[in-house]
Amino acid sequence: RKTGTPIVRLLRQSVSFAPRTSNEFTMSVLAFGAAVVDYIGTVSRLPHRDEKIRSSNCQIAIGGNCLNASVVLSRLQVSVDLISKLGKDQLGSFILQCCHSEGIGTKKLITKPDAVSSFSYIMVEEKSKSRTCIYNPCEDVLPSEVEKNILDGVSVLLLDGKHIQTACEVASWASVRQIPIVLDCETELLESEFLPSLISLATHLKCDQRFPREYTSSEDLLEGMAILLGQRNERTIIVTLGASGSLLMTQASSLESSNPQVTSYANLMEHVSYFIGTIPPKQHPRCLKTTYVSTLGEMALIYCCPYLLPKEEMVDTTGAGDIFLGSIAFSVLHRMPLER
């Protein structure tokens, strides 16, 4: 969360928009995943075991990977529909109200009278701005509760791994229709038996730097990314590095680079250290294009510097990855160049 949303401003600079009028869109995104109510409290530090502390500030807001990403897309004038499951309770009513105010389509949402809508407790550390989250999910959407026609008119399918069994089925329908699939892979999904199938269907994977290592048991981040990339020419994997920026890997034939090749993540960071030293402070992100060489072959690699935010614009990191996810879906929808 920020007082402004720089990544949205950057994307607006990359695409020309016609004025938005009464739900007249030519492209749309279907977001299938978490819709949550977040209870966000700011604390001076995390509590010790069996300790009670006070928060200095408390907010109630909508959250969840796909819902936050949907807000980004809607604010970028993209038609977006959300699929999730809600209870017929106050939490569900709050989610619906916020979706309507943000212009997110809710006709495909599933409500169940005896279900409890998803909610999270989030503790934000005042000094570091980092957050700790305790998530209480609603019941999963079942395969019997969705039909193939939910993909009619859809240009991009956005998944966050929630309701994962049904997400696999919807992804298989999208794959048949050659609809691009953007998947947010979180480490909490590692125990799911459906995760390999879902990854095999996705065309664009987004994850943090822990996921490739833990999923592939690779010590090197780039090797883990290459394994996830597999042999599909149309696949792209994007890894967030927190305050250090982000990485994109795809097939070598997709990108031309004159920079030296790299053989490991440590090797890449050596080049990045020199690269960052050449960038004037407070300048917009710049990309370093190179090639990763391993036993799996050559992979095109793009390192993107972090966007430097003034401290006064920062609130905390809650939802930052979800904004990034929505921006990826936007970029795929508009077929923007990989660097952008």
Side-chain angles (χ1 to χ4, degrees), residues 1-4 42 57 59 124-126 128-130 309-318:
R1 296 182 302 135
K2 310 174 184 68
T3 54
T42 302
N57 181 43
Q59 290 182 320
V124 176
E125 291 185 86
E126 191 170 6
S128 68
K129 308 295 186 183
S130 62
L309 279 175
K311 288 186 177 180
E312 60 271 17
E313 288 193 18
M314 295 182 62
V315 179
D316 58 65
T317 59
T318 306

Side-chain angles (χ1 to χ4, degrees), residues 55-249:
S55 63
S56 59
N57 181 43
C58 185
Q59 290 182 320
I60 302 175
I62 53 171
N65 307 37
C66 265
L67 182 47
N68 284 336
S70 297
V71 171
V72 172
L73 289 164
S74 185
R75 291 185 183 185
L76 287 169
Q77 304 182 21
V78 172
S79 173
V80 55
D81 285 290
L82 180 66
I83 301 183
S84 193
K85 182 174 282 189
L86 308 176
K88 287 190 175 181
D89 50 20
Q90 289 185 334
L91 298 174
S93 297
F94 181 71
I95 292 170
L96 283 170
Q97 179 184 349
C98 291
C99 285
H100 293 156
S101 67
E102 289 287 352
I104 298 169
T106 60
K107 292 183 179 180
K108 297 175 182 179
L109 280 170
I110 298 165
T111 57
K112 189 176 179 182
D114 59 346
V116 177
S117 299
S118 301
F119 62 92
S120 292
Y121 298 109
I122 299 175
M123 290 180 289
V124 176
E125 291 185 86
E126 191 170 6
K127 186 175 181 179
S128 68
K129 308 295 186 183
S130 62
R131 60 98 176 99
T132 300
C133 180
I134 302 172
Y135 174 50
N136 185 75
C138 185
E139 298 177 13
D140 275 356
V141 175
L142 303 176
S144 59
E145 294 176 311
V146 295
E147 298 179 355
K148 290 184 178 181
N149 61 9
I150 61 169
L151 290 172
D152 290 350
V154 170
S155 304
V156 172
L157 175 62
L158 175 61
L159 304 171
D160 64 9
K162 306 300 189 294
H163 319 289
I164 190 166
Q165 180 179 2
T166 307
C168 281
E169 188 150 349
V170 175
S172 68
W173 301 339
S175 182
V176 171
R177 297 192 186 199
Q178 297 185 321
I179 296 172
I181 301 167
V182 178
L183 172 62
D184 189 8
C185 291
E186 294 188 318
T187 53
E188 67 177 55
L189 301 175
L190 290 170
E191 302 300 321
S192 173
E193 63 179 299
F194 299 102
L195 182 58
S197 297
L198 195 56
I199 287 177
S200 70
L201 291 165
T203 57
H204 299 77
L205 301 177
K206 175 259 177 187
C207 58
D208 67 17
Q209 57 188 311
R210 296 173 299 170
F211 185 87
R213 292 187 177 106
E214 294 186 24
Y215 183 77
T216 65
S217 299
S218 300
E219 293 185 5
D220 185 76
L221 174 60
L222 299 188
E223 182 182 46
M225 291 175 66
I227 294 172
L228 275 169
L229 190 63
Q231 300 301 315
R232 292 184 56 174
N233 292 330
E234 72 274 20
R235 173 172 288 174
T236 299
I237 177 170
I238 299 172
V239 171
T240 57
L241 305 173
S244 298
S246 58
L247 285 173
L248 181 149
M249 184 181 286

